[in-house]
Amino acid sequence: MGEVTGRIELADGQAAEQVSVRVKGTTVGVNSAADGTFRLRAPAGWQVLTVTCLGCTPQEVTVEVKAGQTVAAQPVRLAPGEQQLQEVTVRGAKSLNQRTPSVGKMPIAPLDNPQSTVTIEREVLEQQQALRLSDVLTNVSGVYVMGATGGTQEEIASRGFAYSSANTFKNGVRFNNGIMPEVSSLERMEVLKGSAAILYGNVAAGGILNLVTKKPQFERGGSVGLRVGSFGFVKPQFDVYGAVGQSQKVAFRLNGTYERGDSFRDGVKSNRVYVNPSLLFKLTPKTDLVLEGDYLRDNRTPDYGIGAINYQIFDSRTRFLNTADATNATNQSSATATLTSRLNDTWQVRAVAGFQRYDNELRSAARPTANVIKPGRNYGNWQRNLQRTQTAENYYLAQIDLTGTLRTGRIGHTVLVGADADQYNANALSFIAQAYDSLNILDPSRALGRPKGAVSGYDAMRYNTRTLGNTRRAGFYAQDLISLFDHVKVLAGLRWSYQETPTDVYTYPGLALPATNAATVAENRRYDNAFSPRLGLVYQPTKTTSLFASYANSFTPNSGFDEQGGALAPSLIDQYEVGMKNELFKGALSANVTGYRIINSNQAQAILPTDPRFATSRVAAPQELAGEVTSQGVEVDVQSRPLNGISLIAGYSYNTTTYTKSNIYENGSRLRYNPAHTANASLFYSFANAFANNATLRGLSAGFTAYYVGDRVGGRNTRLLDPSTGRPWASGSDAFQLISVPNYFLFDASLGYSYDRFSVRFKMANLLNELSYNLHDDNSINPIAPRNFSATLSYKL
């Protein structure tokens, strides 16, 4: 036996994916990969390879196969077939374990990757009529919304760790998730669970999200549509694409939407405008350049929810505690350039440059904290303060990756070598919080008067601080998937990251104007670096089953100082993962199981005043890397290919995240926001096969989605010791307590109909009208939406 490699190309030189390559007269064969390459084992001697695909002329290639050696077949360029088809409907048929997420940077098949990955394609988003990112996440086990602070964003987490902006990407570039991203522009959503530090530096240990937007196409097409729904919701949208003029070298795509609506919450409203243009330049047969833009203007009422009293939630869906003129205004724009060049059949270079601008102004009442007030006349009374902030950020990124395959003797290698650098320029202005009025949390209509000296409104607020940040990061990384045998592979890699975090804080003495020469300045300079290793082992007893075990390390920079006044080193987080990936029933069903354990064994915590080191400390609030938090759990992901019109997505996750070593919290106590259990199931059925001969009925489709979120805790973890004194924590008005959040089921149902170029879809969400909440601390308690309805009418251009 020997090995044959080669590449299949389209007529314009682009890679041809999923093209059948067979050894004539045998059952041996493979399909070409995403980059058009193929590799197959064949009997020694002269062999004829047959190359076939739908819509192209079959071709044959003769090659001499030498025993124990690898030979390269001549590249094959496909030619269009002469057969003309009246109508062809093409649907994606890749299974979960055949979709390689681009955010992984390497062309590794999921079965070869010792890490859990999930990709949700656009077809699923359209079937489920996804409106927000949270709708998409109901298809992924173990990734959940942990909060909705201010109602302006969806705080996402996985495996007990929050996804900050450092963990959210759009087209492979970090993306500020301080505002809800637009879903209508997505081609797919990729989830890389677990540590991704080797690829992207200081990202949280739970995983990363990558939002992949729609790309230009040379074939002309598009759609226009209108979505309407409960609470005055209206959303027109459009999507057009095609070649620029008659060009075969330049294609475009432009999609966008406008959205406005009220809310099931009293006094809450929103409107947003979104545009996503992109251009594709085919510079050479082997080199592409994609330019992508993104603009979002989002204005909405900030809404910190219904409040709590004595760490207890008094149920309500509508209670609104903000001022009538509160607003959160955001403008976000970005530009990305991606250059991809195939150096030869086995090596490729990819360079990315990105820029993002983020501007936000918040005018809002402060969050209603869970003040402990004894029952009586003043029960539930709350003094409402005003807050105001302005934030401007510029983000720059440059990244280059070299990927390819090679062999050292009988051992195969899939190699990634890369470097990246990015920079955040941040300018944050805050105003002095001031008393405005008083109201009762349980009855906001009760006028309780205004305290003496209360501010008259947002425009009368005085400046407090301006914070100038200029974070700079750089990293170098290398990774190799080593194929020791056909069924045994090792993935090994290492990254070195460097980070500078200079910060200047200007404090103003309550001025109406921010005169810099009248401010005091506090400077802080930090310089951190860390190594992030990764090691994984994959064993494939069959071609459709993969067993894996891996270790990865990530890091989190710290801002404190030790007792000697030295900058606190980054916290290093160890992650262990084992799992099984299966392709069942000839690839019709993918079923993956993953178990993990994540340990932050050197978490930053305060050195208590009762510690002898405190008395000799050179800083006022010394810290040490001695705490520990452990997250462990299991995840199950199941997806099917469409079969006889039926497609299925299901999942389950169990997680426990606890303090396992702490000097102020009880060991074994559970961290907030993380549900112990989540489960999801989505079933979609197309009647196209059942009514294949009935042009009127074959456009029918129906879907059903169920989503379960288990019990969680919010509030504030109970303290055993007071960090300011080192003595037992005193109960009373300042006691910290947890808030129990009820579990809930969400059931959604949808019905669709398509005829010719028209389609209409109906959706009813939260059929059982379940009530629960998303919490942040004890002061942002936001109810989930009640039963609601939406309908979408669209027309294909």
Short mmCIF file of all heavy atoms in Angstrom, two decimals, residues 664-717:
data_model
loop_
_atom_site.label_atom_id
_atom_site.label_comp_id
_atom_site.label_asym_id
_atom_site.label_seq_id
_atom_site.Cartn_x
_atom_site.Cartn_y
_atom_site.Cartn_z
N ILE A 664 -11.75 33.65 52.76
CA ILE A 664 -12.93 34.36 53.26
C ILE A 664 -14.24 33.66 52.92
O ILE A 664 -15.26 33.91 53.56
CB ILE A 664 -12.99 35.82 52.76
CG1 ILE A 664 -13.14 35.87 51.23
CG2 ILE A 664 -11.78 36.61 53.22
CD1 ILE A 664 -13.41 37.28 50.72
N TYR A 665 -14.24 32.76 51.92
CA TYR A 665 -15.46 32.05 51.56
C TYR A 665 -15.38 30.60 52.03
O TYR A 665 -14.30 30.02 52.14
CB TYR A 665 -15.69 32.08 50.05
CG TYR A 665 -15.90 33.46 49.49
CD1 TYR A 665 -14.97 34.02 48.62
CD2 TYR A 665 -17.00 34.22 49.86
CE1 TYR A 665 -15.15 35.29 48.10
CE2 TYR A 665 -17.19 35.49 49.34
CZ TYR A 665 -16.26 36.02 48.47
OH TYR A 665 -16.44 37.29 47.98
N GLU A 666 -16.54 30.01 52.25
CA GLU A 666 -16.59 28.62 52.67
C GLU A 666 -16.15 27.70 51.53
O GLU A 666 -16.66 27.81 50.40
CB GLU A 666 -18.01 28.25 53.10
CG GLU A 666 -18.15 26.82 53.58
CD GLU A 666 -19.57 26.48 53.97
OE1 GLU A 666 -20.45 27.38 53.87
OE2 GLU A 666 -19.82 25.34 54.38
N ASN A 667 -15.19 26.81 51.82
CA ASN A 667 -14.75 25.86 50.81
C ASN A 667 -15.92 24.95 50.41
O ASN A 667 -16.65 24.45 51.26
CB ASN A 667 -13.58 25.03 51.34
CG ASN A 667 -12.32 25.84 51.46
OD1 ASN A 667 -12.14 26.84 50.76
ND2 ASN A 667 -11.43 25.44 52.37
N GLY A 668 -16.06 24.76 49.11
CA GLY A 668 -17.17 23.97 48.60
C GLY A 668 -18.39 24.80 48.27
O GLY A 668 -19.36 24.27 47.71
N SER A 669 -18.37 26.09 48.60
CA SER A 669 -19.51 26.95 48.27
C SER A 669 -19.53 27.23 46.78
O SER A 669 -18.50 27.37 46.14
CB SER A 669 -19.47 28.24 49.08
OG SER A 669 -18.29 28.98 48.80
N ARG A 670 -20.72 27.32 46.25
CA ARG A 670 -20.94 27.41 44.81
C ARG A 670 -20.81 28.85 44.32
O ARG A 670 -21.31 29.78 44.96
CB ARG A 670 -22.33 26.87 44.53
CG ARG A 670 -22.75 26.77 43.09
CD ARG A 670 -24.13 26.14 43.07
NE ARG A 670 -24.74 26.17 41.76
CZ ARG A 670 -26.00 25.83 41.55
NH1 ARG A 670 -26.76 25.42 42.56
NH2 ARG A 670 -26.51 25.88 40.33
N LEU A 671 -20.13 29.04 43.20
CA LEU A 671 -20.03 30.36 42.60
C LEU A 671 -21.35 30.73 41.94
O LEU A 671 -22.12 29.86 41.52
CB LEU A 671 -18.89 30.43 41.59
CG LEU A 671 -17.55 30.91 42.18
CD1 LEU A 671 -16.97 29.87 43.12
CD2 LEU A 671 -16.55 31.23 41.06
N ARG A 672 -21.57 32.02 41.78
CA ARG A 672 -22.86 32.53 41.31
C ARG A 672 -23.04 32.36 39.80
O ARG A 672 -22.09 32.18 39.06
CB ARG A 672 -22.98 34.01 41.67
CG ARG A 672 -22.87 34.28 43.16
CD ARG A 672 -22.67 35.76 43.43
NE ARG A 672 -21.41 36.25 42.89
CZ ARG A 672 -21.08 37.54 42.81
NH1 ARG A 672 -21.94 38.45 43.22
NH2 ARG A 672 -19.92 37.90 42.33
N TYR A 673 -24.31 32.40 39.41
CA TYR A 673 -24.77 32.55 38.02
C TYR A 673 -24.76 31.25 37.20
O TYR A 673 -25.39 31.19 36.15
CB TYR A 673 -23.96 33.59 37.24
CG TYR A 673 -23.69 34.86 37.97
CD1 TYR A 673 -22.42 35.43 37.99
CD2 TYR A 673 -24.70 35.52 38.66
CE1 TYR A 673 -22.16 36.60 38.67
CE2 TYR A 673 -24.45 36.70 39.34
CZ TYR A 673 -23.18 37.24 39.35
OH TYR A 673 -22.93 38.40 40.02
N ASN A 674 -24.03 30.24 37.62
CA ASN A 674 -23.82 29.07 36.77
C ASN A 674 -24.85 27.98 37.07
O ASN A 674 -24.90 27.45 38.18
CB ASN A 674 -22.41 28.50 36.99
CG ASN A 674 -21.34 29.55 36.77
OD1 ASN A 674 -21.21 30.07 35.68
ND2 ASN A 674 -20.59 29.87 37.81
N PRO A 675 -25.70 27.63 36.10
CA PRO A 675 -26.68 26.57 36.34
C PRO A 675 -26.00 25.22 36.48
O PRO A 675 -25.04 24.91 35.76
CB PRO A 675 -27.57 26.62 35.09
CG PRO A 675 -26.70 27.22 34.03
CD PRO A 675 -25.79 28.19 34.75
N ALA A 676 -26.49 24.41 37.40
CA ALA A 676 -25.94 23.06 37.57
C ALA A 676 -26.24 22.20 36.35
O ALA A 676 -25.43 21.36 35.96
CB ALA A 676 -26.50 22.43 38.84
N HIS A 677 -27.41 22.40 35.76
CA HIS A 677 -27.82 21.59 34.62
C HIS A 677 -28.39 22.48 33.52
O HIS A 677 -29.10 23.45 33.81
CB HIS A 677 -28.90 20.57 35.02
CG HIS A 677 -28.51 19.68 36.14
ND1 HIS A 677 -27.87 18.47 35.97
CD2 HIS A 677 -28.69 19.82 37.49
CE1 HIS A 677 -27.66 17.91 37.14
NE2 HIS A 677 -28.15 18.70 38.08
N THR A 678 -28.09 22.16 32.29
CA THR A 678 -28.80 22.72 31.14
C THR A 678 -29.10 21.58 30.18
O THR A 678 -28.37 20.58 30.14
CB THR A 678 -28.00 23.81 30.40
OG1 THR A 678 -26.87 23.21 29.74
CG2 THR A 678 -27.53 24.90 31.34
N ALA A 679 -30.17 21.73 29.43
CA ALA A 679 -30.52 20.72 28.42
C ALA A 679 -31.23 21.41 27.27
O ALA A 679 -31.91 22.42 27.48
CB ALA A 679 -31.41 19.63 29.02
N ASN A 680 -31.06 20.87 26.09
CA ASN A 680 -31.70 21.47 24.91
C ASN A 680 -32.07 20.38 23.91
O ASN A 680 -31.40 19.34 23.82
CB ASN A 680 -30.76 22.49 24.24
CG ASN A 680 -29.47 21.87 23.75
OD1 ASN A 680 -28.54 21.67 24.53
ND2 ASN A 680 -29.38 21.59 22.46
N ALA A 681 -33.14 20.63 23.19
CA ALA A 681 -33.57 19.73 22.12
C ALA A 681 -34.33 20.54 21.08
O ALA A 681 -35.18 21.36 21.42
CB ALA A 681 -34.46 18.61 22.66
N SER A 682 -33.98 20.33 19.84
CA SER A 682 -34.63 21.03 18.74
C SER A 682 -34.92 20.03 17.63
O SER A 682 -34.02 19.32 17.17
CB SER A 682 -33.73 22.16 18.22
OG SER A 682 -34.29 22.76 17.07
N LEU A 683 -36.16 19.99 17.21
CA LEU A 683 -36.59 19.08 16.15
C LEU A 683 -37.23 19.89 15.04
O LEU A 683 -38.15 20.69 15.30
CB LEU A 683 -37.57 18.05 16.69
CG LEU A 683 -37.99 16.92 15.73
CD1 LEU A 683 -36.79 16.02 15.42
CD2 LEU A 683 -39.11 16.10 16.35
N PHE A 684 -36.75 19.69 13.82
CA PHE A 684 -37.29 20.41 12.67
C PHE A 684 -37.69 19.41 11.60
O PHE A 684 -36.97 18.43 11.34
CB PHE A 684 -36.25 21.38 12.12
CG PHE A 684 -36.73 22.19 10.94
CD1 PHE A 684 -37.49 23.34 11.13
CD2 PHE A 684 -36.43 21.81 9.65
CE1 PHE A 684 -37.94 24.08 10.06
CE2 PHE A 684 -36.87 22.54 8.56
CZ PHE A 684 -37.63 23.69 8.77
N TYR A 685 -38.85 19.65 10.97
CA TYR A 685 -39.32 18.74 9.94
C TYR A 685 -39.77 19.53 8.72
O TYR A 685 -40.58 20.46 8.82
CB TYR A 685 -40.49 17.88 10.45
CG TYR A 685 -41.03 16.94 9.40
CD1 TYR A 685 -40.23 15.90 8.90
CD2 TYR A 685 -42.31 17.07 8.91
CE1 TYR A 685 -40.71 15.03 7.94
CE2 TYR A 685 -42.81 16.20 7.95
CZ TYR A 685 -42.00 15.18 7.46
OH TYR A 685 -42.47 14.34 6.51
N SER A 686 -39.25 19.14 7.57
CA SER A 686 -39.66 19.70 6.29
C SER A 686 -40.55 18.69 5.57
O SER A 686 -40.19 17.51 5.46
CB SER A 686 -38.44 20.03 5.43
OG SER A 686 -38.84 20.36 4.11
N PHE A 687 -41.69 19.16 5.08
CA PHE A 687 -42.64 18.28 4.42
C PHE A 687 -42.32 18.08 2.94
O PHE A 687 -43.15 17.54 2.20
CB PHE A 687 -44.07 18.85 4.56
CG PHE A 687 -44.60 18.81 5.95
CD1 PHE A 687 -44.29 19.83 6.84
CD2 PHE A 687 -45.41 17.78 6.37
CE1 PHE A 687 -44.78 19.81 8.13
CE2 PHE A 687 -45.91 17.74 7.68
CZ PHE A 687 -45.59 18.76 8.56
N ALA A 688 -41.14 18.52 2.50
CA ALA A 688 -40.81 18.46 1.07
C ALA A 688 -40.87 17.04 0.53
O ALA A 688 -41.35 16.81 -0.59
CB ALA A 688 -39.42 19.06 0.84
N ASN A 689 -40.37 16.06 1.31
CA ASN A 689 -40.41 14.68 0.84
C ASN A 689 -41.82 14.09 0.91
O ASN A 689 -42.25 13.38 0.02
CB ASN A 689 -39.44 13.82 1.67
CG ASN A 689 -37.99 14.17 1.42
OD1 ASN A 689 -37.65 14.69 0.36
ND2 ASN A 689 -37.14 13.91 2.41
N ALA A 690 -42.53 14.41 1.99
CA ALA A 690 -43.87 13.86 2.16
C ALA A 690 -44.82 14.33 1.08
O ALA A 690 -45.74 13.61 0.67
CB ALA A 690 -44.41 14.22 3.55
N PHE A 691 -44.61 15.59 0.60
CA PHE A 691 -45.49 16.14 -0.43
C PHE A 691 -44.69 16.48 -1.68
O PHE A 691 -44.86 17.55 -2.26
CB PHE A 691 -46.20 17.40 0.10
CG PHE A 691 -47.08 17.15 1.28
CD1 PHE A 691 -46.74 17.65 2.52
CD2 PHE A 691 -48.23 16.39 1.15
CE1 PHE A 691 -47.55 17.44 3.62
CE2 PHE A 691 -49.05 16.17 2.25
CZ PHE A 691 -48.72 16.68 3.48
N ALA A 692 -43.78 15.58 -2.04
CA ALA A 692 -42.88 15.84 -3.17
C ALA A 692 -43.65 16.10 -4.46
O ALA A 692 -43.18 16.86 -5.32
CB ALA A 692 -41.92 14.67 -3.35
N ASN A 693 -44.80 15.51 -4.61
CA ASN A 693 -45.57 15.66 -5.85
C ASN A 693 -46.66 16.72 -5.75
O ASN A 693 -47.48 16.87 -6.65
CB ASN A 693 -46.20 14.32 -6.23
CG ASN A 693 -45.16 13.25 -6.52
OD1 ASN A 693 -44.12 13.56 -7.11
ND2 ASN A 693 -45.42 12.02 -6.10
N ASN A 694 -46.66 17.44 -4.63
CA ASN A 694 -47.68 18.48 -4.43
C ASN A 694 -46.97 19.81 -4.28
O ASN A 694 -46.41 20.12 -3.22
CB ASN A 694 -48.53 18.16 -3.19
CG ASN A 694 -49.73 19.07 -3.07
OD1 ASN A 694 -49.64 20.27 -3.33
ND2 ASN A 694 -50.85 18.50 -2.63
N ALA A 695 -46.96 20.60 -5.33
CA ALA A 695 -46.22 21.86 -5.33
C ALA A 695 -46.72 22.83 -4.28
O ALA A 695 -45.98 23.68 -3.80
CB ALA A 695 -46.28 22.50 -6.72
N THR A 696 -47.99 22.69 -3.90
CA THR A 696 -48.56 23.63 -2.93
C THR A 696 -48.14 23.31 -1.50
O THR A 696 -47.86 24.21 -0.71
CB THR A 696 -50.09 23.61 -3.03
OG1 THR A 696 -50.48 23.94 -4.37
CG2 THR A 696 -50.72 24.61 -2.07
N LEU A 697 -48.07 22.01 -1.15
CA LEU A 697 -47.82 21.62 0.23
C LEU A 697 -46.37 21.29 0.55
O LEU A 697 -46.01 21.25 1.73
CB LEU A 697 -48.71 20.40 0.59
CG LEU A 697 -50.22 20.63 0.54
CD1 LEU A 697 -50.96 19.34 0.87
CD2 LEU A 697 -50.62 21.74 1.49
N ARG A 698 -45.56 21.06 -0.46
CA ARG A 698 -44.19 20.62 -0.16
C ARG A 698 -43.34 21.74 0.46
O ARG A 698 -42.24 21.48 0.93
CB ARG A 698 -43.52 20.10 -1.41
CG ARG A 698 -43.26 21.13 -2.49
CD ARG A 698 -42.71 20.46 -3.73
NE ARG A 698 -42.44 21.42 -4.81
CZ ARG A 698 -42.17 21.07 -6.06
NH1 ARG A 698 -42.14 19.77 -6.38
NH2 ARG A 698 -41.94 21.98 -6.97
N GLY A 699 -43.85 22.95 0.49
CA GLY A 699 -43.09 24.03 1.11
C GLY A 699 -43.34 24.18 2.59
O GLY A 699 -42.80 25.07 3.24
N LEU A 700 -44.14 23.29 3.19
CA LEU A 700 -44.44 23.36 4.60
C LEU A 700 -43.26 22.88 5.45
O LEU A 700 -42.53 21.97 5.06
CB LEU A 700 -45.66 22.52 4.94
CG LEU A 700 -47.05 23.15 4.72
CD1 LEU A 700 -48.12 22.09 4.94
CD2 LEU A 700 -47.26 24.32 5.67
N SER A 701 -43.10 23.47 6.64
CA SER A 701 -42.10 23.01 7.60
C SER A 701 -42.59 23.36 9.00
O SER A 701 -43.41 24.25 9.18
CB SER A 701 -40.74 23.65 7.34
OG SER A 701 -40.82 25.07 7.48
N ALA A 702 -42.07 22.64 9.99
CA ALA A 702 -42.45 22.87 11.37
C ALA A 702 -41.28 22.57 12.27
O ALA A 702 -40.42 21.74 11.95
CB ALA A 702 -43.66 22.01 11.76
N GLY A 703 -41.22 23.26 13.39
CA GLY A 703 -40.13 23.05 14.32
C GLY A 703 -40.56 23.19 15.76
O GLY A 703 -41.57 23.85 16.06
N PHE A 704 -39.79 22.56 16.64
CA PHE A 704 -40.08 22.63 18.07
C PHE A 704 -38.75 22.67 18.83
O PHE A 704 -37.84 21.89 18.52
CB PHE A 704 -40.90 21.42 18.50
CG PHE A 704 -41.29 21.44 19.96
CD1 PHE A 704 -42.36 22.20 20.38
CD2 PHE A 704 -40.58 20.70 20.89
CE1 PHE A 704 -42.72 22.23 21.73
CE2 PHE A 704 -40.94 20.72 22.23
CZ PHE A 704 -42.01 21.49 22.65
N THR A 705 -38.64 23.56 19.78
CA THR A 705 -37.42 23.71 20.56
C THR A 705 -37.74 23.70 22.04
O THR A 705 -38.69 24.36 22.47
CB THR A 705 -36.69 25.02 20.20
OG1 THR A 705 -36.34 25.01 18.82
CG2 THR A 705 -35.42 25.18 21.02
N ALA A 706 -36.96 22.95 22.81
CA ALA A 706 -37.08 22.92 24.27
C ALA A 706 -35.73 23.26 24.87
O ALA A 706 -34.69 22.79 24.39
CB ALA A 706 -37.55 21.54 24.75
N TYR A 707 -35.75 24.07 25.92
CA TYR A 707 -34.50 24.50 26.56
C TYR A 707 -34.72 24.54 28.06
O TYR A 707 -35.70 25.13 28.54
CB TYR A 707 -34.11 25.88 26.04
CG TYR A 707 -32.79 26.41 26.59
CD1 TYR A 707 -31.62 25.68 26.45
CD2 TYR A 707 -32.74 27.65 27.22
CE1 TYR A 707 -30.42 26.17 26.94
CE2 TYR A 707 -31.54 28.15 27.69
CZ TYR A 707 -30.39 27.39 27.56
OH TYR A 707 -29.19 27.88 28.05
N TYR A 708 -33.82 23.91 28.80
CA TYR A 708 -33.94 23.85 30.25
C TYR A 708 -32.71 24.48 30.90
O TYR A 708 -31.57 24.20 30.51
CB TYR A 708 -34.05 22.40 30.71
CG TYR A 708 -33.99 22.23 32.22
CD1 TYR A 708 -35.07 22.57 33.02
CD2 TYR A 708 -32.83 21.75 32.84
CE1 TYR A 708 -35.01 22.42 34.40
CE2 TYR A 708 -32.76 21.60 34.20
CZ TYR A 708 -33.85 21.94 34.99
OH TYR A 708 -33.80 21.81 36.35
N VAL A 709 -32.96 25.34 31.86
CA VAL A 709 -31.90 25.94 32.67
C VAL A 709 -32.15 25.57 34.12
O VAL A 709 -33.21 25.88 34.67
CB VAL A 709 -31.86 27.47 32.51
CG1 VAL A 709 -30.79 28.07 33.42
CG2 VAL A 709 -31.58 27.84 31.07
N GLY A 710 -31.19 24.89 34.73
CA GLY A 710 -31.37 24.43 36.10
C GLY A 710 -31.19 25.53 37.13
O GLY A 710 -31.00 26.70 36.81
N ASP A 711 -31.26 25.14 38.38
CA ASP A 711 -31.17 26.10 39.47
C ASP A 711 -29.81 26.80 39.47
O ASP A 711 -28.78 26.22 39.13
CB ASP A 711 -31.41 25.41 40.81
CG ASP A 711 -30.31 24.41 41.13
OD1 ASP A 711 -30.32 23.33 40.52
OD2 ASP A 711 -29.45 24.71 41.98
N ARG A 712 -29.84 28.08 39.85
CA ARG A 712 -28.63 28.90 39.96
C ARG A 712 -28.71 29.71 41.24
O ARG A 712 -29.74 29.74 41.90
CB ARG A 712 -28.55 29.88 38.78
CG ARG A 712 -28.40 29.25 37.42
CD ARG A 712 -29.00 30.15 36.35
NE ARG A 712 -30.44 30.22 36.44
CZ ARG A 712 -31.17 31.24 36.03
NH1 ARG A 712 -30.59 32.30 35.51
NH2 ARG A 712 -32.49 31.23 36.14
N VAL A 713 -27.60 30.33 41.57
CA VAL A 713 -27.60 31.26 42.69
C VAL A 713 -27.06 32.60 42.22
O VAL A 713 -26.17 32.67 41.37
CB VAL A 713 -26.76 30.74 43.88
CG1 VAL A 713 -27.43 29.53 44.52
CG2 VAL A 713 -25.34 30.41 43.45
N GLY A 714 -27.65 33.68 42.75
CA GLY A 714 -27.16 35.02 42.48
C GLY A 714 -26.84 35.68 43.81
O GLY A 714 -26.46 35.02 44.78
N GLY A 715 -26.99 36.98 43.88
CA GLY A 715 -26.67 37.69 45.11
C GLY A 715 -25.17 37.80 45.33
O GLY A 715 -24.41 38.05 44.40
N ARG A 716 -24.74 37.57 46.57
CA ARG A 716 -23.32 37.69 46.92
C ARG A 716 -22.94 36.51 47.81
O ARG A 716 -23.63 36.23 48.79
CB ARG A 716 -23.05 39.02 47.64
CG ARG A 716 -23.41 40.24 46.79
CD ARG A 716 -23.20 41.54 47.56
NE ARG A 716 -23.66 42.69 46.79
CZ ARG A 716 -22.90 43.38 45.95
NH1 ARG A 716 -21.64 43.03 45.76
NH2 ARG A 716 -23.38 44.42 45.29
N ASN A 717 -21.84 35.85 47.47
CA ASN A 717 -21.41 34.70 48.25
C ASN A 717 -21.18 35.08 49.72
O ASN A 717 -20.53 36.08 50.03
CB ASN A 717 -20.13 34.11 47.67
CG ASN A 717 -20.41 33.24 46.47
OD1 ASN A 717 -20.46 33.72 45.35
ND2 ASN A 717 -20.61 31.95 46.71
#
